[in-house]
Amino acid sequence: MRIELEKLEGGRGDFAHVYQPETIGPVDEHITLTEPAQVKATVKRAGNDVFVDGHVETRVRVECDRCLKPVELPVTADFALEYIPGAEYESSSVAALSEEEMAVSVFDGESIDVEEIVKEQVLLAVPARTLCREDCKGICPECGIDLNTGRCNCESQDVDPRWAALKALKNTDS
Ligand SMILES: [Zn+2]
Ligand SMILES: [Zn+2]
């Protein structure tokens, strides 16, 4: 869905939309929606600039950072975005500043892609690291066994300090 600025009456409008996960597709290679994304926003036009304030909520599936098991998370995000037309951006003195520094996005001057907003906001709202549970033991880097459900006899990099101390004792004995 795109917001066509020409169709905004009096330069502003409210919109609400529900995106099915398959419409949005994967947000990135690690994040997929498991429930429809609901987005509500107000669009305001000020001269050539456009302000979009709103809220998005959905649920996503990501991978546990340690064991790679799928983890589901609720995602909610409030956003306040500013768009300036590409032509204006290039010709103005602000062009010296990067898009990021200004916290604005450049658009074609005619319409704004709501799907893009949803993807971007979900991406920003998902924490960089997610664990399936606080004390997830992860997978053994040697044999790949899930250490939450089984054990292996591989030498682990991070040996329990108590065992390390015992080992050291043994070595000095012999
Ligand atoms: Zn895990
Ligand atoms: Zn192992």
Side-chain angles (χ1 to χ4, degrees), residues 153-168:
N153 296 315
C154 305
E155 285 285 337
S156 176
Q157 300 292 50
D158 44 40
V159 179
D160 185 309
R162 285 166 300 177
W163 289 112
L166 266 181
K167 254 192 181 171

Side-chain angles (χ1 to χ4, degrees), residues 7-48:
K7 293 180 186 153
L8 288 183
E9 276 176 45
R12 65 168 287 153
D14 296 317
F15 71 90
H17 197 73
V18 176
Y19 285 102
Q20 295 306 316
E22 23 332 333
T23 313
I24 296 283
V27 175
D28 77 2
E29 49 182 321
H30 303 293
I31 306 172
T32 43
L33 302 189
T34 58
E35 272 179 24
Q38 306 191 26
V39 59
K40 276 185 190 170
T42 301
V43 190
K44 272 175 263 172
R45 201 170 180 171
N48 289 324

Side-chain angles (χ1 to χ4, degrees), residues 64-69 71 130-133 136-138 148:
C64 171
D65 212 51
R66 290 192 193 139
C67 71
L68 306 179
K69 253 192 296 240
V71 184
T130 310
L131 297 178
C132 60
R133 59 184 214 218
C136 172
K137 296 187 180 78
N148 297 303

Side-chain angles (χ1 to χ4, degrees), residues 140-145 147 151-155:
C140 170
E142 297 293 326
C143 68
I145 196 173
L147 297 171
R151 283 187 181 198
C152 62
N153 296 315
C154 305
E155 285 285 337

